[in-house]
């Protein structure tokens, strides 16, 4: 069995338009991978296609999670296999408390390790402290009336409570001011330190959040393809020069 | 043992319920199908009633015969009611009324065990009044209620034991001529609850009754009358569930509430009728000066429900609240709502209604708020939200506001929405199957209502909703 979240030649269409044109990507356990690219390059499509959103049609390729083939599974089966997505725009579920949601989801994700109420409460309280969150949030309705920053923190809390094998963080930095960004960045690190085996795929348009996350590997996506890969310094280069030099390089490479 | 089954695994209970359960309880006496003046007189005679009640029944029968079915509402479904094919009176057992649970006949007890009554009783009961078919067979009143001077019994007993109170109030809120089904109930009523709380007495523990239909083609026409005298208060709870049987069946209750000056009544019910039952219920309350009446009303199941709990705010400063939820599944139409009449100054009302339709079901919110001339300083707020689960289900909102007094505050908001694909995907990405995700979302939608229920009812309702939502989307 090959460890890792391994994507091979993945092709995805939305409403008959091909968005991903053959993606190859490997996320290793315990590593931070950054997926960068300009707007519209297909980054979010990759996250939805891997987690099984019904709007995204897979037209070719494979994706495996520690050897389990993901693409034939329903979204909840992929989640149970250990895949987590931190949504860019998480949906609100009015009337369902954060506590109820976390408990129901954790029970579904880990049927072999269902915690009694007291232990579950302890786990959630611990994780909230780890993330510097107010415990009052636990009785609010899921994402209902949450600020942008609160939504992202709740995604991080879920990641901490579920401890998935692989997590995709889709534009977790978008729409946040500098302070909220730092808080979220620190949250991710806190979760990482507690779940050292979790492999992370951090999708971002801007390199800002990478100041906090220190990626092991950087992948650059353009027009539905991974066009360049490198170490952390690649992100620094993008921060300094933008995407244009890479775009020219890719065009030049083809010629 | 059925009792153990409930205690240990309530899930199994509901799975069993899903297919309906039907015990072989042998009716000891029945009037046969159809209704005549003679049958009405016979019912009264069987019950050993005083002449004034016999007269009331016979007069009501004449009104029932002369009145047409309502011209509004679901005409197709209403037209399917065959009044000649219904049994109007069935007595389940000749056993006299029991105070002691152990002495209730076995087959009857088994049915109630499946409904979890002993469990419910142990947890928080003030008293149990359990109706089986048309007769109350089990009745237990806690001693301290007696000590407070509270009367809580079935309606038949009340006619016998408390004739002065019954005569004073019975049929005063909902007269037999109100509508065809109220007239029918007035003619053939049997069972139901009676509670009278004396001046200044506040009953903290909820009074409870359970109802259930268990005989094919048997109508259930319970009659409930609850009264709080000045500055008295009560909370009455009634849970309903019904087993499976094939022919259409009619449930037509009349519930009258009277809250005298400064009194308060909260009436909570969840009705879960089997899908072949016509549930045509008249519920109305009168609230006098500074009195409060609350209807908490949940409707699941039945083929057609028509129910609009009403509150007449008769005295200055009276308050009324109707909080209701409805779930319309396949072949079902929940036509429910609320009616509030502001007949006095400085009265307030709140109506909150949420409905879900799925599997081709239909929900209708039908509401009336009327402010009478001179009812200055009136405040009313109406909020109704409908959630539609699929393309074959439907929902209508029919709110009527008659405001005849300028110095009043009226708020109204309504929404109709479809269950969100993004919500479902979000929950599924957290490991919930599609059914579980939908169940969670719908339970969230009903949370405002569930919050108002005692714990056991809340758990039951959550389970029922989850069960009803299976395969709701897709």
């Amino acid at each position: 069995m090959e460890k890792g979240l391994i994507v091979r030649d993945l092709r995805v269409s939305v409403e008959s338009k091909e968005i991903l044109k053959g993606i190859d990507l490997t996320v290793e356990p315990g590593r931070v991978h950054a997926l960068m690219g300009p707007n519209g390059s297909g980054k979010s499509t990759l996250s939805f296609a891997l987690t099984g959103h019904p709007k995204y049609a897979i037209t070719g390729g494979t994706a495996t999670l520690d050897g389990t083939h993901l693409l034939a599974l329903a979204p909840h089966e992929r989640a149970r296999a250990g895949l987590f997505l931190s949504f860019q725009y998480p949906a609100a579920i009015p009337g369902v408390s954060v506590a109820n949601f976390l408990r129901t989801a954790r029970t579904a994700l880990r049927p072999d390790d269902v915690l009694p109420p007291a232990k579950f409460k302890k786990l959630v309280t611990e994780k909230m402290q780890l993330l510097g969150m107010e415990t009052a949030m636990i009785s609010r309705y899921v994402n209902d009336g949450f600020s942008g920053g609160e939504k992202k923190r709740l995604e991080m809390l879920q990641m901490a409570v579920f401890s998935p094998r692989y997590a995709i963080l889709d534009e977790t930095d978008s729409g946040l001011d500098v302070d909220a960004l730092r808080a979220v960045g620190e949250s991710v690190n806190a979760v990482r330190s507690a779940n050292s085996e979790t492999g992370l795929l951090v999708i971002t348009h801007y390199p800002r959040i990478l100041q906090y996350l220190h990626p092991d590997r950087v992948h650059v996506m353009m027009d539905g393809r991974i066009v360049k890969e490198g170490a952390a310094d690649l992100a620094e280069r993008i921060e300094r020069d933008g995407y244009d030099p890479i775009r020219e390089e890719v065009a030049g490479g083809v010629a | 043992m059925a009792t153990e089954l409930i205690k240990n695994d309530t899930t199994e209970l509901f799975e069993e319920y899903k297919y309906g359960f039907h015990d072989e309880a042998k009716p000891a006496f029945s009037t046969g199908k159809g209704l005549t003046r003679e049958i009405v007189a016979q019912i009264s005679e069987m019950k050993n009633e005083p002449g004034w009640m016999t007269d009331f029944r016979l007069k009501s029968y004449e009104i029932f015969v002369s009145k047409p079915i309502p011209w509004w509402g679901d005409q197709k479904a209403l037209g399917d009611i065959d009044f000649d094919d219904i049994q109007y009176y069935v007595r389940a057992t000749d056993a006299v009324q029991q105070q002691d649970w152990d002495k209730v006949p076995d087959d009857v007890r088994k049915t109630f065990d499946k409904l979890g009554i002993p469990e419910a009783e142990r947890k928080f009961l003030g008293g149990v009044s359990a109706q089986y078919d048309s007769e109350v067979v089990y009745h237990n009143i806690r001693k301290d209620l007696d000590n407070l001077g509270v009367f809580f019994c079935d309606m038949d007993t009340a006619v016998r034991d408390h004739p002065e109170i019954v005569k004073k109030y019975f049929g005063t809120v909902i007269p037999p001529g109100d509508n065809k089904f109220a007239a029918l109930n007035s003619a053939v009523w049997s069972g139901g609850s009676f509670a009278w709380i004396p001046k200044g007495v506040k009953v903290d523990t909820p009074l409870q009754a359970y109802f259930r239909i268990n005989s094919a083609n048997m109508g259930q026409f319970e009659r409930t009358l609850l009264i709080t005298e000045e500055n008295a208060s009560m909370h009455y709870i009634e849970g309903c569930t019904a087993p499976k049987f094939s022919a259409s069946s009619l449930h037509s209750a009349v519930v009258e509430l009277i809250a005298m000056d400064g009194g308060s009544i909260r009436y909570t019910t969840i009705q879960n009728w089997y899908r072949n039952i016509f549930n045509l219920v008249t519920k109305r309350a009168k609230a006098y000066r500074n009195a409060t009446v609350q209807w908490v009303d949940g409707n699941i199941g039945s083929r057609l429900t028509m129910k609009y709990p009403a509150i007449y705010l008769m005295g200055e400063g009276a308050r009324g609240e109707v909080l209701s939820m409805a779930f319309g599944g396949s072949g079902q139409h929940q036509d429910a709502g609320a009616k509030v009449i502001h007949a006095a100054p400085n009265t307030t009302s709140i109506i909150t209604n949420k409905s879900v339709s799925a599997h081709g079901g239909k929900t209708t919110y039908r509401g009336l708020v009327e402010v009478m001339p001179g009812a200055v300083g009136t405040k009313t707020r109406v909020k109704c939200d409908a959630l539609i689960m699929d393309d074959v289900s439907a929902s209508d909102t029919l709110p009527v506001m008659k405001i005849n007094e300028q110095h009043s505050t009226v708020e109204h908001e309504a929404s109709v929405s479809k269950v969100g694909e993004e919500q479902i995907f979000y929950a599924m990405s957290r490991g919930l199957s599609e059914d579980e995700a939908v169940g969670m979302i719908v339970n969230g939608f009903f949370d405002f209502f569930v919050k108002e229920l005692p714990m056991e009812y809340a758990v039951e309702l959550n389970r029922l909703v989850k069960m009803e939502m299976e395969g709701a989307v897709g």
Side-chain angles (χ1 to χ4, degrees), chain A residues 188-209:
Chain A
V188 177
N189 280 329
V191 175
R192 275 195 75 205
S193 61
N195 303 275
S196 58
E197 287 304 300
T198 299
L200 291 184
L201 180 63
V202 180
I203 295 178
T204 182
H205 174 67
Y206 301 106
R208 294 190 305 177
I209 196 172

Side-chain angles (χ1 to χ4, degrees), chain B residues 3 6-7 101 109 112-123 125:
Chain B
T3 322
I6 305 255
K7 284 178 198 152
W101 181 252
R109 203 165 63 196
F112 279 127
D113 279 349
K114 284 182 190 170
L115 295 173
I117 286 180
E119 178 81 353
E121 186 190 11
R122 214 178 32 245
K123 295 254 171 83
L125 281 195

Side-chain angles (χ1 to χ4, degrees), chain A residues 85-207:
Chain A
L85 170 62
S86 167
F87 283 65
Q88 187 177 359
Y89 304 110
I93 310 182
V96 177
S97 71
V98 168
N100 180 5
F101 186 74
L102 289 176
R103 181 153 175 81
T104 307
R106 195 184 178 283
T107 303
L109 292 167
R110 302 176 156 254
D112 301 333
D113 180 33
V114 178
L115 299 177
K119 278 198 171 170
F120 175 75
K121 194 178 169 201
K122 186 164 169 275
L123 171 75
V124 172
T125 311
E126 261 173 33
K127 299 299 182 189
M128 289 184 103
Q129 280 165 358
L130 181 72
L131 300 178
M133 294 167 74
E134 297 286 338
T135 47
M137 185 197 256
I138 204 80
S139 45
R140 291 174 67 186
Y141 293 152
V142 175
N143 291 318
D144 194 25
F146 279 31
S147 70
E150 285 172 333
K151 287 181 184 174
K152 300 297 163 71
R153 301 287 282 279
L154 179 55
E155 297 295 286
M156 292 305 103
L157 177 64
Q158 291 179 55
M159 182 165 83
V161 170
F162 304 151
S163 46
R165 292 201 218 178
Y166 299 91
I168 303 169
L169 275 50
D170 189 6
E171 307 266 359
T172 297
D173 49 346
S174 71
L176 300 183
D177 61 29
V178 178
D179 292 334
L181 179 70
R182 185 191 305 114
V184 167
E186 285 166 0
S187 296
V188 177
N189 280 329
V191 175
R192 275 195 75 205
S193 61
N195 303 275
S196 58
E197 287 304 300
T198 299
L200 291 184
L201 180 63
V202 180
I203 295 178
T204 182
H205 174 67
Y206 301 106

Side-chain angles (χ1 to χ4, degrees), chain A residues 2-20:
Chain A
E2 205 175 348
K3 279 273 187 187
L5 176 62
I6 301 166
V7 179
R8 289 289 171 263
D9 195 27
L10 184 68
R11 291 165 185 275
V12 176
S13 294
V14 179
E15 287 158 2
S16 305
K17 185 172 187 288
E18 187 169 64
I19 307 292
L20 299 187

Side-chain angles (χ1 to χ4, degrees), chain B residues 393-414:
Chain B
S393 302
S395 181
D396 278 337
T397 304
L398 306 167
V400 176
M401 300 277 199
K402 292 184 189 167
I403 311 301
N404 300 309
E405 173 55 60
Q406 285 190 323
H407 302 282
S408 53
T409 312
V410 177
E411 290 173 43
H412 178 257
E413 46 177 308

